[in-house]
Amino acid sequence: EPEVTQTPSHQVTQMGQEVILRCVPISNHLYFYWYRQILGQKVEFLVSFYNNEISEKSEIFDDQFSVERPDGSNFTLKIRSTKLEDSAMYFCASSDRASGSSYEQYFGPGTRLTVT
Amino acid sequence: KQEVTQIPAALSVPEGENLVLNCSFTDSAIYNLQWFRQDPGKGLTSLLLIQSSQREQTSGRLNASLDKSSGRSTLYIAASQPGDSATYLCAVRHAGGTSYGKLTFGQGTILTVHP
């Protein structure tokens, strides 16, 4: 069964460094998302992406964040200058647009980002 | 602003028991509602999706109901097993946004099924 994959599974970085989290959505999906979950808190929406542009973003998604679909398969989240409070599990998700689609979102296993 | 609440926060039951997890949302204008399972340190596995026009959805031992007007959904798990132990999350997609829009999550119910 097709699945969303994410790399790396765990990333440790120092405050102020740039990180890139990578995702490979399900191949025929057209809508892509990033969410994050700080330890012990709710899963929070960051950004959605369709047709090579951001379609919606939350107030969390400020100028230090960016997303990109550099080729036909990868979807990346870049954090330019990491802060301690960026430590969280980051989830990528995708959904399709087939006829009659429910737009069900399928999530990857997550990347645990630890900022020290 | 949509708020999603799940009750109870934690539930511990003996194996074989039938159980109900509750989810409520403040804005009834939703496009659909998804129930997820999350194992510790892992990703989210979609269990069931209910469209706003549906009343319930079933998959195996799982049955999810939706009462959109009252802003409530329940996840019923029949004949619980230790392997059902996980955190269960509900999430809603607002109807006011795009059809492929963001999900708003509850904080989850931590379920423990002991042998």
Side-chain angles (χ1 to χ4, degrees), chain A:
Chain A
E1 184 173 329
E3 59 183 14
V4 177
T5 60
Q6 291 185 242
T7 55
S9 57
H10 191 191
Q11 174 88 47
V12 181
T13 189
Q14 289 189 326
M15 194 167 50
Q17 295 297 305
E18 174 182 288
V19 295
I20 298 176
L21 310 183
R22 291 182 167 81
C23 168
V24 179
I26 294 174
S27 62
N28 62 336
H29 284 189
L30 297 176
Y31 305 99
F32 313 113
Y33 312 83
W34 284 101
Y35 293 81
R36 78 174 185 187
Q37 185 178 34
I38 295 170
L39 189 63
Q41 297 187 22
K42 292 183 178 184
V43 176
E44 304 173 285
F45 168 79
L46 292 178
V47 65
S48 59
F49 190 87
Y50 168 69
N51 201 25
N52 283 319
E53 61 182 23
I54 291 174
S55 50
E56 188 176 4
K57 60 183 181 179
S58 71
E59 60 272 15
I60 302 169
F61 195 88
D62 60 22
D63 291 345
Q64 70 161 338
F65 291 92
S66 62
V67 289
E68 192 177 37
R69 188 154 164 83
D71 53 42
S73 59
N74 290 283
F75 180 51
T76 62
L77 174 68
K78 181 191 289 186
I79 309 175
R80 288 190 185 83
S81 179
T82 51
K83 305 171 188 171
L84 293 175
E85 54 265 36
D86 293 328
S87 294
M89 182 76 95
Y90 287 80
F91 294 109
C92 173
S94 68
S95 63
D96 68 15
R97 197 191 173 193
S99 174
S101 169
S102 61
Y103 297 97
E104 184 171 3
Q105 291 188 20
Y106 295 85
F107 282 68
T111 291
R112 180 168 297 285
L113 176 65
T114 303
V115 182
T116 61

Side-chain angles (χ1 to χ4, degrees), chain B residues 8-79:
Chain B
L11 184 63
S12 180
V13 300
E15 182 177 5
E17 195 160 296
N18 302 324
L19 55 98
V20 175
L21 308 181
N22 298 289
C23 172
S24 62
F25 44 95
T26 54
D27 188 340
S28 61
I30 65 168
Y31 186 79
N32 61 36
L33 181 147
Q34 275 184 264
W35 281 95
F36 293 89
R37 169 185 173 137
Q38 184 177 29
D39 292 287
K42 303 294 184 182
L44 282 65
T45 301
S46 182
L47 298 173
L48 289 163
L49 181 145
I50 310 180
Q51 300 286 17
S52 61
S53 58
Q54 296 177 314
R55 295 285 292 181
E56 65 179 278
Q57 242 344 313
T58 298
S59 176
R61 295 184 292 110
L62 305 179
N63 176 276
S65 67
L66 175 64
D67 184 344
K68 195 177 74 162
S69 60
S70 67
R72 294 178 185 176
S73 176
T74 61
L75 179 67
Y76 175 84
I77 303 177

